[in-house]
Amino acid sequence: MTKPPPAGRGSDYAALSREVKQSGLLKRRPGYYSVKVGTNLLLLAAGWTAFALIGQSWWQLLTAAFLAVMFTQTGFIGHDAGHHQIAASKRVNNLIGHVHADLLIGLSYSWWISKHNRHHSHPNHVDRDPDIADGAIAFTQDHARVRRGPYAWLARHQAWLFFPMLLLEGLALHVAGVRALLDRTGTATSRRTKLAEAGLLTAHLGGYLAALFLVLSPVQAVCFLLVHQGLFGLYMGCSFAPNHKGMPIFAKDDKIDFLRRQVLTSRNIRGHRFTDFALGGLNYQIEHHLFPSMPRPSLRHAQELVRTFCVRRGIAYHETGLFNSYAQVLRHLHAVGGPLRPELEY
């Protein structure tokens, strides 16, 4: 994953970085991740075991909901591995990432790494952050204004459609990863990685569909797939959406230092240990963006240090409750679609 750039000795980020390093918060947490990964794998295996034991039954839709939660939790571990939070070795982190992303949940790890690197380097920066690129959702009024036809209607109503659209996010992630693997460009090394990754994704997809259609009736299998993938996408989207959506967006030519770029565009979610678990540590988005390789359990301990530092430097540190964060996201999406609505509506 992208690391913070070296900072001058007197820069704000350098000063904060020294405080964090002296506190020991960047040290690896092998004990935590051994328990975390082991427990997650056991729960994932338990879900599929229950699926096999229950057999052909509509109760399997509850299994689908449970596995949607476990797929997302597995994705969080892949995210941590991608940021090299788990092990000191890059090779070990990548192995963990490929197993959890490609094999266990069917998402392309290398595609996600490339996309997420660019996001971390320039969060909420127009034409640089792929997470706010013009797509199904318009994140800036400039993107909304040029839309026509069905895309204009979508942008006009996107605040109302946002959560329903997240039900398709799981499918969209699967498709985007496969499309990236089918791209023949790249070095010989990247092509070999794509080939290996294609094997893992094929194994996942083959095993997943075989399990569904061998154990369930065709109608039940399709319903299981829709519920499972829909809730997986919804959970993933609800975990990542509060992090930056509705926060300041920088224009293409704006120049801003690393510390402020990361802090001003990020939103923390207030909560407790259950929030930490449910959101995979992403609720400490400011600390995570400042120190991407910081192990997940250390983020909560870094929060007060970072917040105090920002207050001393006069840097806005944004933290809110989970539901209020969703309200902020929806208000932003509604405002973005404003130019496409009749004048009386805004």
Side-chain angles (χ1 to χ4, degrees), residues 23 37 106 112 117 124 160 180 214-215 251 264 266-268 274 300 330 337:
S23 68
V37 172
W112 176 82
N117 270 342
N124 276 18
W160 296 99
L214 288 176
V215 172
L264 297 178
S266 300
R267 176 194 293 114
N268 274 17
F274 178 76
R300 64 189 301 267
L330 295 180

Side-chain angles (χ1 to χ4, degrees), residues 11-295:
S11 74
D12 285 341
Y13 181 74
L16 175 60
S17 184
R18 284 194 293 271
E19 289 188 35
V20 168
K21 289 177 181 177
Q22 289 169 5
S23 68
L25 292 170
L26 294 177
K27 292 181 180 178
R28 296 288 176 262
R29 298 288 296 275
Y32 168 85
Y33 277 111
S34 295
V35 173
K36 183 69 177 177
V37 172
T39 302
N40 191 79
L41 290 175
L42 285 174
L43 289 172
L44 192 60
W48 284 116
T49 300
F51 173 84
L53 293 176
I54 293 171
Q56 194 173 121
S57 168
W58 287 105
W59 287 105
Q60 291 282 26
L61 296 185
L62 294 178
T63 311
F66 175 78
L67 286 173
V69 172
M70 293 315 305
F71 267 43
T72 306
Q73 288 292 323
T74 301
F76 290 154
I77 292 175
H79 169 268
D80 290 3
H83 283 292
H84 300 162
Q85 295 177 16
I86 299 177
S89 166
K90 180 180 178 180
R91 179 173 295 182
V92 172
N93 280 305
N94 285 339
L95 175 62
I96 294 172
H98 280 295
V99 169
H100 282 75
D102 294 299
L103 183 61
L104 296 181
I105 62 177
L107 297 183
S108 170
Y109 179 71
S110 60
W111 163 78
W112 176 82
I113 286 290
S114 174
K115 177 176 179 290
H116 202 58
N117 270 342
R118 287 178 284 138
H119 160 70
H120 262 264
S121 296
H122 299 280
N124 276 18
H125 204 147
V126 173
D127 290 344
R128 292 190 174 189
D129 182 0
D131 286 0
I132 61 168
D134 191 19
I137 297 290
F139 291 107
T140 69
Q141 290 193 348
D142 287 342
H143 287 159
R145 286 190 182 96
V146 298
R147 292 194 172 195
R148 298 292 182 271
Y151 280 100
W153 181 89
L154 186 63
R156 193 160 55 242
H157 300 93
Q158 63 184 9
W160 296 99
L161 297 173
F162 179 68
F163 285 108
M165 289 173 67
L166 289 181
L167 294 169
L168 300 174
E169 181 65 14
L171 177 62
L173 291 172
H174 291 303
V175 171
V178 170
R179 290 178 61 184
L181 290 178
L182 293 176
D183 183 359
R184 295 177 178 272
T185 61
T187 65
T189 301
S190 66
R191 287 194 292 270
R192 286 195 298 269
T193 300
K194 285 183 179 181
L195 184 61
E197 195 168 20
L200 292 174
L201 288 175
T202 301
H204 170 86
L205 181 61
Y208 180 80
L209 293 179
L212 264 57
F213 285 94
L214 288 176
V215 172
L216 306 176
S217 70
V219 174
Q220 288 174 342
V222 171
C223 289
F224 183 100
L225 188 150
L226 293 176
V227 170
H228 177 223
Q229 294 297 329
L231 292 180
F232 168 52
L234 181 65
Y235 185 6
M236 286 280 282
C238 286
S239 300
F240 282 88
N243 302 341
H244 304 280
K245 306 299 183 285
M247 295 302 290
I249 293 178
F250 296 126
K252 182 178 180 180
D253 297 325
D254 285 347
K255 304 294 183 183
I256 188 167
D257 67 272
F258 178 82
L259 181 91
R260 287 163 180 79
R261 182 165 71 241
Q262 304 300 335
V263 175
L264 297 178
T265 60
S266 300
R267 176 194 293 114
N268 274 17
I269 303 302
R270 192 181 298 113
H272 38 64
R273 289 188 181 273
F274 178 76
T275 311
D276 297 356
F277 167 78
L279 298 181
L282 298 175
N283 46 313
Y284 302 107
Q285 193 66 196
I286 294 173
E287 289 72 27
H288 171 58
H289 260 255
L290 289 171
F291 303 98
S293 64
M294 181 180 289

